[in-house]
Amino acid sequence: MKLDLRNKTVLITGAAGFIGANLAKQLLITIPAIKIVGIDNMNDYYDVHLKESRLDELACFDNFTIINGTIADKMLIKNVFKEYKPEVVVNLAAQAGVRYSITNPEVYIESNIIGFFNVLEACRNSYIDGAKGVEHLVYASSSSVYGSNKKVPYSTKDKVDNPVSLYAATKKSNELMAHAYSKLYKIPSTGLRFFTVYGPAGRPDMAYFSFTNKIVKGDKIQIFNYGDMKRDFTYIDDIVTGLINVVQKTPEATEDGVPYHIYNIGNHSPESLMYFVETLEKCLMSEGIIDKPVEKELLPMQPGDVYQTYADVDELVEDFGFKPGTSLEEGLSRFVKWYRGYNKNN
Ligand SMILES: NC(=O)c1ccc[n+]([C@@H]2O[C@H](COP(=O)([O-])OP(=O)(O)OC[C@H]3O[C@@H](n4cnc5c(N)ncnc54)[C@H](O)[C@@H]3O)[C@@H](O)[C@H]2O)c1
């Protein structure tokens, strides 16, 4: 069903994050009289200044409010729902990163499992006393749920019971928890499996950003599985367009009467790791940031990593007439242009 966001309050968790801040900004620009309430715990998994600078950009909108706190705090979430009564909830707050989940597992349980549970409970309680409550819950899942599945492209109809990292296991758990709550309490919920999102002011822990930092310093870069990996790189603007489309349409009930759906959002165009590095170097050379390619150290596969990601986006096209389309060349060029200014100021 179509959902008109005008005059609605949208709660975005992880609003200072890469995807959250871009989503908030686009909603504030394009939807008249929308109110956005953001929650973020501003953790230092990566440079907090980057999160602050994203929030600075949002601060100029009168109808944007940010709350500093964790979704793992049940009372905080309860109070936020009580005070702001969001009609739409977009849960993007999570501990991201596959490799970090090997060394820091606790934080994944706290933010991704307990935090998400608190959000689900608050959605459930929003209907008490006949209140209209939450009309749509949209939450971030991940391509990592596909683990080492061999069949490509990855379809939401594929079996995803073999996660290869705790991060992936928490994301799959979110999908299961959302299904149970949608079934029991009729919360309309849509999960989105994002595929390697990149772009300006993105995440410094991700390869495109950390490689750039190293290349600029003249350090050698480490390439795992000897470069034999593929990623379906998806540009941030495509993710935001996809998210806005999805948020504005609540899912049809399944045959079992559950208002629940899951979509892939990816570029449907996996690129090899080596091609990605070469393209990044070309962009950095054409901006005059480096004058020659850097040394590469080829290493074996890392635990928790997968060989490839490749999104089947047929359902997204069918239901929304949209699929991501920004090429890697174009997206990396825009990232490098942004990086140039960022690097100068830092
Ligand atoms: N970027 C990608 O390639 C990608 C791919 C697949 C899935 N995802 C998922 O999309 C969502 C957004 O990712 P992103 O790339 O914007 O990451 P991000 O780390 O930039 O954003 C997440 C934000 O959530 C906040 N946060 C973390 N734990 C929190 C907590 N307990 N309470 C409140 N805030 C908390 C962080 O401070 C951060 O600002 C995440 O759920 C992530 O797992 C991202």
Side-chain angles (χ1 to χ4, degrees), residues 8 21 36 59 66 128-129 136 158 169 181 186 219 258 264 295 302 320 324 340 343 346:
K8 294 244 149 97
I36 306 273
I66 184 75
I128 282 176
D129 294 334
H136 197 185
D158 297 342
Y181 271 68
K186 298 280 172 271
D219 294 348
V258 189
N264 285 334
E295 197 188 330
Q302 290 257 294
F320 302 99
R340 203 187 158 144
N343 204 32
N346 293 277

Side-chain angles (χ1 to χ4, degrees), residues 59 97 130 133 286 311:
S286 77

Side-chain angles (χ1 to χ4, degrees), residues 13-21 39-46 51 54 69-73 91-97 107 110-112 115 139-144 167 171 174 192-198 202-203 205-206 208 234 236:
T13 72
F18 176 37
I19 300 174
I39 301 182
D40 204 295
N41 69 354
M42 304 300 278
N43 69 62
D44 63 358
Y45 168 61
Y46 63 77
K51 297 182 183 182
R54 296 185 191 126
T70 170
I71 58 167
D73 179 345
N91 188 66
L92 299 171
Q95 180 56 55
V107 66
E110 188 179 312
S111 294
N112 304 10
Y139 61 94
S141 184
S142 162
S143 61
S144 65
Y167 170 65
K171 289 296 177 180
N174 287 172
L192 294 172
R193 294 178 179 167
F194 297 132
F195 283 66
T196 318
V197 188
Y198 73 104
R203 272 178 32 206
D205 61 312
M206 291 183 70
Y208 68 97
T234 315
I236 182 66

Side-chain angles (χ1 to χ4, degrees), residues 3-8 10 27 31-34 88 244 247-248:
L3 184 64
D4 187 350
L5 294 179
R6 282 174 301 178
N7 294 304
K8 294 244 149 97
V10 178
L27 285 172
I31 311 282
I34 196 169
V88 174
I244 293 180
V247 167
Q248 294 180 103

Side-chain angles (χ1 to χ4, degrees), residues 6 20 22 40 55 66 83 87 143 180 223 258 264 271 287 300:
R6 282 174 301 178
N22 277 286
D40 204 295
L55 289 182
I66 184 75
E83 181 170 353
E87 285 112 341
S143 61
I223 299 192
V258 189
N264 285 334
E271 304 282 5
E287 285 296 316

Side-chain angles (χ1 to χ4, degrees), residues 198-202 208-209 212 235 280 330-340:
Y198 73 104
Y208 68 97
F209 205 135
T212 305
Y235 190 65
L280 180 60
E330 176 61 31
L332 280 181
S333 160
R334 287 191 215 162
F335 165 72
V336 166
K337 283 190 170 72
W338 167 82
Y339 185 89
R340 203 187 158 144

